[in-house]
Amino acid sequence: MSVKAELLCVAALCCFTSLACATPHIQSWQSASGAKVLFVENHDIAMLDVAVSVPAGSSFDAKSGVAGMTHHLLDKGATGLSEDDISRGMADIGAQFGGSFDQDRASVSLRTLSSAAERDQALNIMAQVLQQPAFMDAVLTREKVRLISALKEAETQPESIADKAFQKAVYGAHPYALPVSGEVVSVEKITIQDLRDFYAAHYNASRAVVAIMGDVTRAQAEAIAGQLTAQLPVSGGHAALPAVTMQIPAIEQRIAHPASQSHILIGAPGMSRSDPDYFPLYVGNYILGGGGFVSRLMNEVREKRGLAYSVYSYFMPLKQPGAFQIGLQTKKEQADEALKLVRNTLAEFITQGPTEKELRAARQNIVGGFALRIDSNRKILDYLSIIGFYDLPLTYLDDFTARVERVTVAQIRDAFARHIHPQAMATVIVGAPEAKAESAGGKNK
Amino acid sequence: MRIYLFFVAMWLGSGQHIAQAEVFERTLANGLKVIVKEDHRAPVVVQQIWYKAGSMDERTGKTGIAHVLEHLMFKGTRSVPAGEFSRRIAAAGGRENAFTSYDYTAYFQQLHKSRLPLAMKLEADRMHNLNLSADEFAKEVRVVMEERRMRTDDQPQALLQEKMMAVAYQEHPYQNPVIGWMSDLESLDVADAAAWYRLWYAPNNATLVIAGDVKASEVFALAQRHYGGIARRVLPPRRNYTEPVQLGVKRMVVKAPAELPQLVMSYHTPVLQQPEQDWQPYALEILAGVLDGNESARLNKHLVREQQVASSVGVGYDSASRGPSLFTLQATPSTGKTVGDTETALRQEIALLIKEGVSEEELKRVKAQVMAGEVYKLDSVFYQAMQIGQMESIGLGHKTLPVMLAKLQAVTAGQVQQVAREFLQDDNLTVAVLDPQPLSGKSGHKVEGAAHVR
C-alpha cells in the first residue's frame, strides 16, 4: 500500500493520554510581504490546500454588505482574466476554488492537485484574484440583484428572521449586529468605488494569514506565500472594532410567522477567541448543549420529552466576544413549555454547575476524540487559518488536550457565572404561539 | 443539487503517488458482509453498518417506519439502557449518528482506532437485542414529527421536492418521502416498529464497513467475535416495481410562504443495471456535469451570468440507486423574470444540447473534475466508507466503483447528445413550480423592536 502511514505526524509528539496522537508539525514564518504563513508539509496525498485570510469581515462594514460583496466579487474578474477565464481555468484542472466569510474574516481557499502543471495554473489564478481583482460594473449590478433577491427570500424564512433579530438584540449598535451579507437597502447602494476602497483598506499583506497544507516543500510553500501576497495593497492603520457591551437588557421578542414551528433563540455576548476562560467555557458548554445526544439540553428537551428534533448551545468565539446561543425548533403549541424548560435547564446549570461525573464524561469525549479533529488535510488547514488569524500559539493543538484535562468543575461554574446571566439575555421567537404573538404584535410597527 | 458521482478506484494525476484501494472483504457464516478499507494516515476508524432496508421497502399507510426505527435504535437493548449507546460512544471520544434513505438505513461511529471493539460490541448488540417500548416509541415519534416540520413542512423548497416526487412517480415507492407522511407518523405504533425490526435487521441483510487505521485481518476477527453469533434470518421477498411509462408532461404548483418562485423540471431516466455493459447512466452523469458540474458549466454561464434569467440553477442525477432515477433541473427566476421565462431558457439549453451536442473541451473538463475528485476523496475516510456502503446496499457492490470510473472516462460527446435527445423529452417530464405566498397574519413578519422585558 502506498498511502504512507506516518502522515500527519511529521514531528511534534505530545502524549498527554494514551489516546493522544501526534499533532501536525506547524512551520511558521513571515513572508517578505509581511503576511503570516503557517505550513504543514505532508506528501501522503498528491494535493495541496491553501487559504488566505484577511480581517475584512462584515464587522468592518460602514455600509452593510460592502465587505461581503467585495469578497464575493474577487473571483468574478481580475486584471487580464474574465470571470469565465477564472472559472474555466480552475475547472479545467479539477481545482476547487472557494472561500468563507464571517463577521471577522474573509478568506479565499484553493484545493488543487499538487502536480506542477495543475498546481501552477491554480495558484496563478488565485494570485490574480487576490491581488488584481477587477470589480467590474456589470458584474456588480448583476450580483446585487441576485443578493437582494436572496436577502428578500431570507426575510420570509423563520430561521433567517430569527438569526437576524437575535444578532440585533444581542449586539445593538455594535458591528457584530450587522447581517453578514448586508441589508436590502444598503446593498442597493453599493458602488464599485465602495468595493475598491474596502479592498484597499482591508486586503493588506501585513494583516493576511496564509495557511498551506499538503504536498509541497518548505521552499515551494515560501514561494507560494510570496506569490499570493506580495502584490496586496499596502495601507496604513486599521480601525479597531468598538468594544462589545457585555451586559444586555433582558428582552423577549415574539415575531409572527405562519410556519408550523416556533424557532427559538436565546443568548447574549459570550466569549472571544482570546478569553482566558476559553477552555472552561468550551468544556462546560459541551455538557450544557454542545455534546450532541448526551448534553443536558438534549436530554431534557428531546430525550425525556420529545419536544424538539434539535436543541443546542454554543459559543461563537470571535475577535471580540461572539454570541453565546441556545437554539431549538418546536411546534407552536408547545413553544412556551419548551422555552420554560430550556430556561430552567440553563439556570440550574449556571447556579449548580456540572457534576464531576459530567465533567469526566466531557473530558473523555473531547480528549479521547482529539484525533478526529486533525484526521484530514482539510481540518488541519482550517486550524492553521484559525491559529494564524486569531494569534493563537503555534502549540495550540499540542496543548489542547492538556488544557481540557485541567478544567475543573469549579472553573466551569465560575466562568459561566461571570459570562452568562440568564436574567439578562435576548430571546427571539419566530412563529410564536398565536395569542402571545398578537399581544406582542400590538406594540409593533 | 450537484452532480453526484460515486467512484472509488484510484487514479492519481501525477504518477509519483499511485495509491491502491486497499479494500478487503469477507462474508461471515451468518451472511454479514464485512468490508475493510485500510487508511493509515491518522489513528482513527469509522464503523458503518448498512441495512438494505429503506423507505422504499415500506407499505402503504406505514411510511416513515424505516426512519422511526432508526431513531429507536438508540433507545436501548436488553443489556444497554436507553441513551446509554450514545453515552458510551461519547465517553470513548466518539462521534456517532445514523441516516435513512429511500434505499437503506445506516449507522456509524467515528473513534480513535483503539475503541473499535467497543463500537462493534454496541452495534452488534442492537442488531438483535433491541428493546422497543410503547413509552419510548411515543416520545420518539414526536421527535420525528418535529424533524418533519423542521425539514419539510416549514421549508418551501423541501416541500416542493416532496410533492414533485409524489407526482413524478405514479407507482414506485419513491413517491413517498423518507421521513413519512404526517398522517402515517400519527398512526404508527410500537408494533409497527417491532415488525420492521424483525423483518430487516439481520446479519444477512447488512454490510459492515470499517475504514481507517486498522488491519483487515484484525477487523475480520473482531467482526467474527461480535457479529458472528447473531443468527441469520429468512428475509421477506423484495417487491420489484416497474414505474409505468409516463405518457405526457405533468405539471404542478405548490403554494408556500416564500419570496421567490422556484422551478423544478424532472425527467425519468435509467440507472445502472449492468455496470460493465451500460453506457446511458454514465453519459447522463457527464451531461449533468456539462450543465452544472462547475462554475463555468453551461447553466450558470448562460442563464445566470449572460441572460440573467435565473439567480441560481442546479442539476441533479444519480446513476446508482435501487430504484429508478430522475434527471432534475432546478432554477430560481431572476428578479423581474417569471417561471415561464426561466422554463423557456432551460428548454433552449436542452434544445441546443440535442441539436449541437457538447464540445470536446467541455467533456474533458468534466472528466478532469471526476479524476481530481478521486484524489481529493482520499482526504475523507468517512466518505470512502460511505461510497462502499452505498454501492453494496443498492446491490451493485463496491467493486463496481472502479468500473464506473473507467466507463465515465470513456463517455463520448455523441453519447451525451444521444441521452439528452432520448430522455430530456416532454413525455418523460414533471414540471413543479413553487408559487410564493405572502406571510399571512395580521402583524406581518417584519416585526421588529417589539420586545417586552421579562
Side-chain angles (χ1 to χ4, degrees), chain B residues 69-174:
Chain B
L69 197 272
E70 178 226 294
H71 278 236
L72 294 171
M73 285 284 278
F74 295 84
K75 295 300 179 184
T77 67
R78 275 173 237 160
S79 54
V80 179
E84 196 54 29
F85 187 104
S86 297
R87 267 190 288 281
R88 290 187 195 174
I89 293 296
R95 303 173 186 177
E96 48 127 23
N97 215 324
F99 47 89
T100 307
S101 84
Y102 293 115
D103 293 353
Y104 47 73
T105 309
Y107 302 79
F108 68 85
Q109 304 85 33
Q110 297 166 275
L111 321 89
H112 189 274
K113 63 177 176 177
S114 62
R115 310 316 283 271
L116 179 60
L118 169 75
M120 273 205 191
K121 185 173 176 233
L122 287 167
E123 195 64 88
D125 176 43
R126 68 178 174 179
M127 180 185 280
H128 63 137
N129 291 323
L130 191 65
N131 257 348
L132 289 165
S133 78
D135 278 0
E136 290 290 353
F137 180 93
K139 266 190 294 185
E140 201 58 28
V141 81
R142 291 178 67 200
V143 170
V144 172
M145 289 175 192
E146 292 300 336
E147 184 178 359
R148 188 191 150 84
R149 290 183 186 104
M150 186 181 93
R151 289 191 197 274
T152 306
D153 296 339
D154 289 348
Q155 299 275 355
Q157 297 200 19
L159 208 53
L160 180 67
Q161 176 69 21
E162 177 179 278
K163 292 188 184 298
M164 185 276 288
M165 291 292 279
V167 168
Y169 289 109
Q170 188 175 350
E171 196 212 357
H172 196 280
Y174 283 178

Side-chain angles (χ1 to χ4, degrees), chain A residues 7 64 82 100 105 126 149 184 244 267 269 282 287 320 366 417:
Chain A
L7 160 75
S64 183
S82 69
S100 67
R105 186 161 63 115
M126 186 176 183
S149 80
V184 171
V244 168
Y282 177 77
I287 298 163
Q320 299 261 334
I366 300 167

Side-chain angles (χ1 to χ4, degrees), chain A residues 1-5 7-8 19 21 43-47 83-84 87-88 91-96 111-113 115 142 145-146 149 152-153 155-157 159 161 168 215 250-253 255-261 286 293-294 302-309 329-331 334 343 364-365 368-369 371-373 375-379 434 438 440 443-445, chain B residues 13-14 16-20 22 38-44 71 75 86-87 89-97 110-112 114-115 136 139-140 142-143 146-147 149-151 153-156 257-260 294-296 301 304-305 308 311-312 334-335 361 365 368-369 372 375-376 378-379 439-440 442-454:
Chain A
M1 58 165 269
S2 51
V3 179
K4 281 168 273 171
L7 160 75
L8 295 176
L19 292 184
C21 101
H43 303 285
D44 283 338
I45 305 176
M47 67 180 198
E83 60 176 336
D84 216 38
S87 57
R88 231 180 324 105
D92 279 342
I93 52 173
Q96 297 175 348
R111 169 167 279 194
T112 176
L113 298 174
S115 38
R142 183 191 75 206
V145 171
R146 289 181 68 200
S149 80
K152 286 183 175 166
E153 174 70 20
E155 282 176 7
T156 66
Q157 300 308 310
E159 209 174 341
I161 297 168
K168 190 142 199 190
D215 185 26
I251 271 181
E252 183 177 299
Q253 194 173 342
I255 301 173
H257 192 284
S260 63
Q261 285 185 317
Y286 172 92
F293 289 111
V294 297
R302 174 169 161 167
E303 301 301 305
K304 282 194 192 158
R305 296 178 184 82
L307 286 173
Y309 173 70
Q329 310 81 18
T330 187
K331 75 171 168 179
Q334 59 199 25
R343 285 186 168 141
Q364 283 171 337
N365 178 263
L372 294 168
R373 291 169 186 260
D375 66 357
S376 72
N377 292 18
R378 176 85 76 199
K379 291 179 190 173
E434 286 307 330
E438 278 176 3
K443 295 181 223 162
N444 293 337
K445 48 190 175 181
Chain B
S14 61
Q16 76 263 37
H17 307 267
I18 302 292
Q20 295 295 319
E22 292 283 323
E38 291 190 9
D39 183 323
H40 302 283
R41 298 192 309 140
V44 298
H71 278 236
K75 295 300 179 184
S86 297
R87 267 190 288 281
I89 293 296
R95 303 173 186 177
E96 48 127 23
N97 215 324
Q110 297 166 275
L111 321 89
H112 189 274
S114 62
R115 310 316 283 271
E136 290 290 353
K139 266 190 294 185
E140 201 58 28
R142 291 178 67 200
V143 170
E146 292 300 336
E147 184 178 359
R149 290 183 186 104
M150 186 181 93
R151 289 191 197 274
D153 296 339
D154 289 348
Q155 299 275 355
E259 170 73 18
L260 302 176
N294 57 77
E295 281 284 295
S296 74
K301 182 173 191 300
V304 178
R305 288 178 179 172
Q308 298 179 22
S311 66
S312 75
S334 200
T335 305
E361 203 194 8
R365 190 173 299 136
Q369 292 197 299
V375 178
Y376 303 154
L378 298 177
D379 200 32
L439 308 194
S440 60
K442 327 87 211 182
S443 45
H445 69 285
K446 278 185 256 176
V447 252
E448 282 183 66
H452 66 266
V453 177
R454 291 171 60 90

